[in-house]
Structure formats: structure tokens, C-alpha cells
Amino acid sequence: MNKEFIIKILRYFISLLYISLLFNYFSGFLMTNIINNILICLLISFIFTIIDLLPKGKWLSLIILSFIAIYAIAQINFKGFIGNYISFVQATDGATRITDYIIQFIAYIKIKYYLILLPIPINIYLNIKQTKPAIKQFKYSLILLLCAISLCIAYPLSYYSSIEKNLATNGLIPFLIMDIAHVFTNTQTEEEIIIEPIIEPTITPEIITNEEEEHRLIDDNEWKQAIANETNESILSIDNFLINKPVSDYNDYTAMFEGKNLIMIMIEAFDYLAIDKQLTPTLYKMKTEGWFFNNYYAPKYSCTTGESEFISLTSLVPENNTCAPNDYNKNTYPGNVFNLFKQEGYYTSSYHNWKDEFYERRSLYANMGCDNYYNYDDLDYTLHKGWPSDVELFDYSYELYKDKAPFMSLIVTSTTHFPYDQDSWSADLNIDKINEVHPDYPINIKRYLSKAMILDEGLNHLLTNLSNDGLLEDTVIIMYADHHPLKTDLSLINTYSNSGYDRLAYDMAIDRSPLIIYGGNIETTTYDGVMSTFDILPTLANLYDLNYDPRIYMGMDYFASEDNIVIFANGSWVINEGYYSNIKEEYTSFDDTTLSDEKIKYYNTIVQNSINASSKILRLDYFKNRDFPIKYKN
């Protein structure tokens, strides 16, 4: 071939491989997909060289190359900014969420990430320097086209539901191609979402049962009849998966909170950072005098806050390329937390101190059986620079549900929302007090604490009001996080959170967050077993002895099993004994004990089935077909 022609191929190949490998380095994927990267970069370099033969084609190739580099930087920055990688589908669905923070997002890009752009000025210079007319030997383009087609046929590409798994396994450029294609067509059909048979390990997980208690037996006759009459294979696959799951038995905690009021509080960016004996005494009191779950995880999904909320309400796994509270807010969810309490005669309500700008809460809650929902548009919140006051949120909401016992109320806070690196009323309100206690803390940690102190004051108002009205002993409060503080250096969170463990020991450790249950005359207890957002609903359902079927949830009653498992968006998981990285495809024990390959496969199947079954449930609106009353045999 012509020397100039070969140089062009090498030039594009080196540029693309440089971008891909640097993306891998910054993402922590290292050499996990090196073969894929070499093949796809070679393939794209052939295509770029073909384009280069066209009039002005060299500039079109440069534009595409620049787009790939910018996409790489955006993905890395999104991971640090919101804790997840993102797709174009998510970006278009959440345009408001992204555009509202575009300046902060750009400012968050680390200087080193701009190294990815290095091939762009080099290629601009080479394009300008190229004075010879484009090569006219178009036979070369035919040769390259045949080579490209051969590489396409031989290219080992696999599709995964997880964006991170796709990026780690297939590489940046293959995912970019799939990402663009996914905008125009759904690349994962129902038939490709497979629910595998679960093969029990030789030693099955121990189930905690109380022999003096009756077993929870459910009458499945109506369900079995529906299965017998069903012709849709996808719905049948969900049927077979759910109905064959074990029904957790009653245990010593069953009905412990029966008849008591419930206040669920999902705290924005709730972290160990927020619990300080001197600065946030109410949070400290609730942690040390209530039930504290020391090994709780808040896994992050596509739209972090909205989907953590959705998980706590439904115990389903959100799809990776969607925002469940927006895309599936019209679905039927008979087992959701509002509906379960409403069936028991509770007044159900929910409260948030911002607008439905990001998530369609009003529609979702109404569909789930929530009697009333109040947000920023309904109540007279003070508009501040930054986020509204959680003190007002707790005060305003209390007046609306206090006289309606038994009540079940969901409160979604906002004051502790980022940014923590900018001035705002909440971030600066308590800086002087913090300086007296922690003068050496970095400013963004101080600003987070300042916001947490406002949250703490609101919680103090809540406890005082409940106590003054004689409701505290008959009310249970559960507080949990949507995610860790975003847009914050993880090493700072690890250093100042006082969690008692290394938040950076493994990828999922940063998602360990406080979960506290307080009130209801409970005794102070610390629980060390793993738990996650998925387990909140089935655990509450058992504690209140609600009319529910444990099989329809992807989480489990915390007190029913020692074999709890935490499911992450990328297919990784954590159990009491250790964790499995689906990116590295390796298991690591916490105490150097081994886990058999058989049991690792068992857990992997459970996790993947939970992800796939949830995807089918959401896409098919499964419970619309299976919304019948639960009938207990006992």
C-alpha cells in the first residue's frame, strides 16, 4: 500500500487506542478489555481512513475522533460526579437533571482527564500539514472495507444490562456504538432477558426459623390458575421465577411494630459524616439509642435519588438504561409500601421540599395508593440559594399527618444535597460552630456538616412534636440514605466519616451508609449483618405483619435469613462473608475464608435473576396481570 495510506491507518489506530486505554486507566478497568480495544480501534481506524478518502473527509474523521474523546471524558466525569456511568437514553430522559448542573459538571472535570484530548490537536496539525490531494486509489478503500467487515464478524462483543460491565468488558468505543444504537432501538429484547434455573449449593443457606411460630403459608391457587391459562412466555418466565422462590417464615421480629405509626425518611446523601456527637446530637441520639444497622448499603442506580426511593417502595431492581420512577410510574405495584399500609387502614402520605422537577413523584405515589403527596408547590417553603430547609419540611409535614393515626408517612429530604464546594445559605449557616469543633476539616466537609446540622434540627423538631403529643412510643422512624455525598472526593469521605472501616477497601464500600430505626419503645441494638435498600420493604412488612408475599420482592426480610445479599447495578454483590466484583469477575473474602465456586455461581444466578426478572416485571407491567389478593392458608 501507499506509505501515506499506511500512516493514516496507524495515525487513527494510535489515536483511538490512546483514548481507549487512558479511559480504562482513569476508570480503573486497566487491561480488562485490551484485546477488544485493539480490535475495535483497528476496525474504526480502517473506517476513518475510508472516510478520509472523501472530499473534506479528513475533517469528518477528526470530528468523530473528537466526539469519542469528549464522550470518554464525560463518562469518567459522570462516574465521579453522580457515582454512575450514563447512557444517551438516560441523558435525554434526565435532561433537566443534567442541564441544571452543567456548569458544576464541567467545573468538576479533573485536569488530568483533558489528557484524553491530546490526539485532537495532533490530528489537526497533521490535517493542516497535509497538502497533497486525497488518495485516488479507491481500491485501497475496498480492501479496508473488506477488512472492516471481517473484523465486525470476528469481533467478540457481548451485551450486558450494566453500563459499567459493558464499558469494562467491551470497551469504550463498542459501548458508544451500542449507546447510540439504543437511542433508536431497544437492543435488549424480552427474549434476551433470561431467568436461569437456580441450582442450590451443596450446603444450602441457613434460614432462621422459630419452631414455635406458624410457617407463613400462602394460598397460591389463584396464581397457579392464572399460570395455567397464561400464553405469554415472558410472563410465564416471571411466574415460574417468583412462585418458586422460598416464602420466608415468621420470626421473633414478626409483628413487633404491629399497629404503630411509621415515618420513613429517605435522607439526601445521608452518610456517617452527618453523625457527630457535638454538632448533630439528634442524629447521634437516634443512632445510639435506636436500632443501628452497621452494614447497610445504598447501591446507586441510573437516577440515583429517584431509584433509591423507588427501590425502597417496591424492592425491585431498576433497569440500567431508564429512570424507573419516571418511565414506569404508571405500572401496577400491589406490594408497594403505600398499598400494604393502606390495606391495613393507615393514612398514607408523602412529603418533599422541592418540586417534581427531576422525578414524577406525584404520579408515582398516587398510582401506588398514597392518599396525599405534598411538595414545594403545595407548601410555603422559604426559597434559599441552594436547597430548602429540612426544618420546614419536618414542621410542615407533621401538621398534616399528626392527627390521622395510624399513619404511614414518607419524607424525602433535600437540604444535604450537593454542592458542598460552593457558597449557599445551608452550606455556610453553621460554619462558625463547626470551626469550634473541627477547625481542620476541609471546607467542603464543613459545608456538608452545616447542611447536616439543619437536618438534625428538623429531626429534633420531629421528636419533640411526637413526644409532646404522646405519639413517640407509638411511632417508628426509619432513616436511610439514597446515596453517599456525590461530587465529593471519595478519599475525603473515607477520612472524615468516622465509620470505623475503610470506605475505599473495595468498589462497593463507599455505598455503606447508616440505617437507623428509632422510636416505638425499642431497645438499643446494633445489627452487623449486610442489608440494603432492597430489604427495607420486606423487613418493614414483617415487622408490621402486613399482608404481603415475600416472593415478589428482590430484597428480603433482614431478620428472616443470615444469607442476605446486596445487589449492585453492575452485577456485583456483597454478603456477610465477602464481596464479588462482576467487573473483575472475582470474589474476595472479608476474613480469608473461601467460598466454593458452586456457591459463587449460586449467588451470581440469584443476582442476575433479580436484575432480569425485575426488568421483565417493569417492561411488561407484570403485576397488572397478577394483581390479586394474597390469601394466607393459616
Side-chain angles (χ1 to χ4, degrees):
M1 281 189 180
N2 182 292
K3 180 181 177 181
E4 181 186 354
F5 203 74
I6 295 173
I7 290 174
K8 281 184 180 293
I9 296 174
L10 289 175
R11 162 184 155 189
Y12 288 127
F13 174 73
I14 293 170
S15 297
L16 291 163
L17 191 61
Y18 170 86
I19 293 170
S20 297
L21 293 181
L22 205 57
F23 171 82
N24 269 15
Y25 173 75
F26 289 139
S27 299
F29 298 146
L30 301 178
M31 305 298 282
T32 56
N33 52 29
I34 184 65
I35 301 300
N36 281 7
N37 274 316
I38 291 173
L39 288 175
I40 194 67
C41 290
L42 190 59
L43 168 62
I44 302 300
S45 67
F46 288 168
I47 295 173
F48 278 6
T49 307
I50 294 172
I51 294 173
D52 210 310
L53 297 173
L54 304 172
K56 306 294 184 182
K58 62 184 181 182
W59 298 109
L60 177 57
S61 293
L62 180 63
I63 290 171
I64 300 173
L65 183 68
S66 302
F67 176 75
I68 293 172
I70 293 169
Y71 181 82
I73 294 173
Q75 285 287 15
I76 299 168
N77 205 51
F78 265 111
K79 177 65 173 177
F81 191 79
I82 64 172
N84 286 316
Y85 297 101
I86 196 167
S87 69
F88 286 126
V89 172
Q90 294 168 6
T92 53
D93 173 71
T96 304
R97 296 193 296 276
I98 294 169
T99 53
D100 279 5
Y101 299 108
I102 190 66
I103 296 176
Q104 295 177 35
F105 177 78
I106 294 172
Y108 188 74
I109 300 174
K110 296 179 180 180
I111 298 298
K112 63 182 180 181
Y113 295 164
Y114 288 106
L115 288 173
I116 293 175
L117 298 175
L118 184 59
I120 308 308
I122 293 174
N123 277 275
I124 290 175
Y125 170 76
L126 293 174
N127 276 1
I128 294 173
K129 187 178 179 182
Q130 178 183 320
T131 56
K132 295 180 181 180
I135 300 170
K136 300 301 182 182
Q137 299 171 351
F138 287 97
K139 63 181 180 181
Y140 293 155
S141 67
L142 180 59
I143 295 172
L144 287 183
L145 184 59
L146 292 173
C147 291
I149 292 172
S150 299
L151 281 174
C152 283
I153 295 172
Y155 187 71
L157 184 65
S158 301
Y159 179 83
Y160 300 92
S161 59
S162 161
I163 294 176
E164 186 172 6
K165 181 68 173 177
N166 271 314
L167 285 167
T169 304
N170 294 317
L172 171 74
I173 299 174
F175 178 74
L176 171 56
I177 295 169
M178 288 189 291
D179 197 10
I180 294 171
H182 194 75
V183 173
F184 303 100
T185 179
N186 191 340
T187 58
Q188 188 181 29
T189 66
E190 311 300 342
E191 290 70 25
E192 292 171 328
I193 305 176
I194 300 171
I195 302 175
E196 298 283 355
I198 295 179
I199 301 174
E200 295 277 348
T202 303
I203 301 175
T204 56
E206 178 185 356
I207 302 297
I208 304 173
T209 60
N210 187 333
E211 295 299 330
E212 297 180 359
E213 294 283 0
E214 295 177 292
H215 295 297
R216 182 182 278 115
L217 303 175
I218 301 174
D219 184 350
D220 285 335
N221 288 331
E222 191 169 351
W223 194 353
K224 289 177 179 177
Q225 186 60 47
I227 292 173
N229 296 331
E230 184 59 63
T231 58
N232 186 308
E233 291 297 328
S234 292
I235 291 177
L236 280 171
S237 68
I238 304 171
D239 283 328
N240 291 326
F241 170 68
L242 295 180
I243 202 169
N244 288 305
K245 289 175 67 177
V247 177
S248 58
D249 278 342
Y250 296 115
N251 53 63
D252 291 340
Y253 291 81
T254 302
M256 183 173 285
F257 297 157
E258 186 174 15
K260 293 184 182 293
N261 304 309
L262 173 66
I263 301 175
M264 294 178 66
I265 306 174
M266 190 177 81
I267 299 175
E268 172 65 39
F270 189 30
D271 194 83
Y272 288 93
L273 285 167
I275 304 175
D276 187 289
K277 186 175 183 178
Q278 292 175 268
L279 299 175
T280 55
T282 307
L283 277 168
Y284 184 83
K285 169 188 174 72
M286 297 176 81
K287 172 183 178 273
T288 54
E289 295 182 7
W291 286 358
F292 178 63
F293 295 81
N294 188 44
N295 214 347
Y296 170 80
Y297 290 79
K300 298 182 297 296
Y301 283 77
S302 299
C303 48
T304 47
T305 296
E307 292 194 321
S308 289
E309 189 176 339
F310 180 82
I311 292 167
S312 70
L313 298 177
T314 65
S315 192
L316 293 174
V317 183
E319 281 199 301
N320 211 267
N321 282 324
T322 65
C323 185
N326 293 343
D327 295 337
Y328 298 112
N329 64 81
K330 298 296 185 183
N331 279 24
T332 300
Y333 305 102
N336 81 79
V337 68
F338 290 119
N339 196 46
L340 293 185
F341 278 92
K342 190 178 180 68
Q343 289 176 354
E344 298 295 324
Y346 278 68
Y347 169 69
T348 59
S349 57
S350 50
Y351 310 86
H352 182 47
N353 48 352
W354 193 239
K355 308 171 184 179
D356 281 5
E357 180 180 2
F358 306 127
Y359 309 111
E360 298 181 20
R361 289 188 172 98
R362 193 175 301 277
S363 172
L364 178 68
Y365 292 165
N367 186 45
M368 286 187 170
C370 178
D371 290 320
N372 285 294
Y373 166 58
Y374 302 88
N375 69 2
Y376 182 90
D377 296 323
D378 305 305
L379 302 175
D380 190 24
Y381 292 107
T382 304
L383 181 63
H384 295 281
K385 177 186 177 182
W387 292 89
S389 169
D390 286 343
V391 176
E392 292 184 347
L393 171 64
F394 285 110
D395 286 347
Y396 292 170
S397 61
Y398 182 77
E399 294 300 317
L400 294 168
Y401 62 74
K402 67 175 183 177
D403 296 324
K404 298 183 179 178
F407 55 77
M408 175 266 151
S409 302
L410 171 67
I411 299 174
V412 180
T413 73
S414 73
T415 301
T416 44
H417 200 290
F418 73 78
Y420 316 112
D421 56 353
Q422 295 179 7
D423 292 332
S424 69
W425 79 274
S426 55
D428 299 325
L429 182 65
N430 298 300
I431 292 295
D432 290 341
K433 295 178 183 177
I434 296 168
N435 282 333
E436 293 175 6
V437 180
H438 301 300
D440 298 330
Y441 274 23
I443 186 60
N444 49 345
I445 299 298
K446 290 179 181 179
R447 284 174 172 151
Y448 175 86
L449 269 171
S450 177
K451 290 167 172 276
M453 290 171 70
I454 298 170
L455 164 71
D456 192 78
E457 183 183 354
L459 288 168
N460 181 54
H461 284 209
L462 173 62
L463 296 186
T464 300
N465 288 331
L466 287 169
S467 180
N468 290 342
D469 291 338
L471 293 172
L472 188 56
E473 290 188 359
D474 290 323
T475 301
V476 174
I477 301 170
I478 179 170
M479 301 186 297
Y480 58 98
D482 55 350
H483 50 70
H484 65 76
L486 302 178
K487 200 193 168 193
T488 303
D489 192 309
L490 301 185
S491 63
L492 291 180
I493 296 176
N494 188 39
T495 301
Y496 296 99
S497 64
N498 299 314
S499 60
Y501 56 86
D502 186 358
R503 302 286 293 278
L504 302 178
Y506 49 99
D507 289 345
M508 297 80 82
I510 194 65
D511 292 323
R512 279 183 69 171
S513 306
L515 184 140
I516 299 169
I517 297 180
Y518 183 83
N521 249 353
I522 60 176
E523 295 183 3
T524 302
T525 313
T526 297
Y527 297 98
D528 294 321
V530 298
M531 184 183 183
S532 76
T533 321
F534 293 99
D535 304 322
I536 291 175
L537 173 51
T539 300
L540 287 174
N542 178 66
L543 286 166
Y544 278 84
D545 196 20
L546 303 176
N547 195 43
Y548 76 108
D549 187 339
R551 295 170 295 181
I552 69 172
Y553 304 128
M554 300 305 137
M556 60 189 76
D557 170 18
Y558 176 84
F559 300 108
S561 172
E562 290 183 341
D563 202 45
N564 290 25
I565 184 168
V566 182
I567 302 170
F568 292 85
N570 62 13
S572 298
W573 44 266
V574 176
I575 55 175
N576 288 320
E577 296 82 6
Y579 63 92
Y580 179 83
S581 169
N582 194 37
I583 304 304
K584 299 176 182 178
E585 297 185 350
E586 64 182 28
Y587 172 80
T588 303
S589 172
F590 290 134
D591 54 8
D592 295 326
T593 57
T594 59
L595 196 67
S596 68
D597 291 341
E598 183 185 22
K599 199 156 188 180
I600 291 174
K601 183 178 180 181
Y602 167 75
Y603 284 123
N604 274 330
T605 305
I606 288 177
V607 169
Q608 200 55 54
N609 279 352
S610 298
I611 292 171
N612 290 350
S614 293
S615 182
K616 284 195 169 194
I617 287 169
L618 293 171
R619 291 188 187 192
L620 298 170
D621 195 3
Y622 168 79
F623 290 113
K624 185 176 182 180
N625 300 279
R626 297 291 182 265
D627 185 9
F628 38 71
I630 297 170
K631 300 174 184 176
Y632 290 100
K633 287 184 178 179
N634 48 327

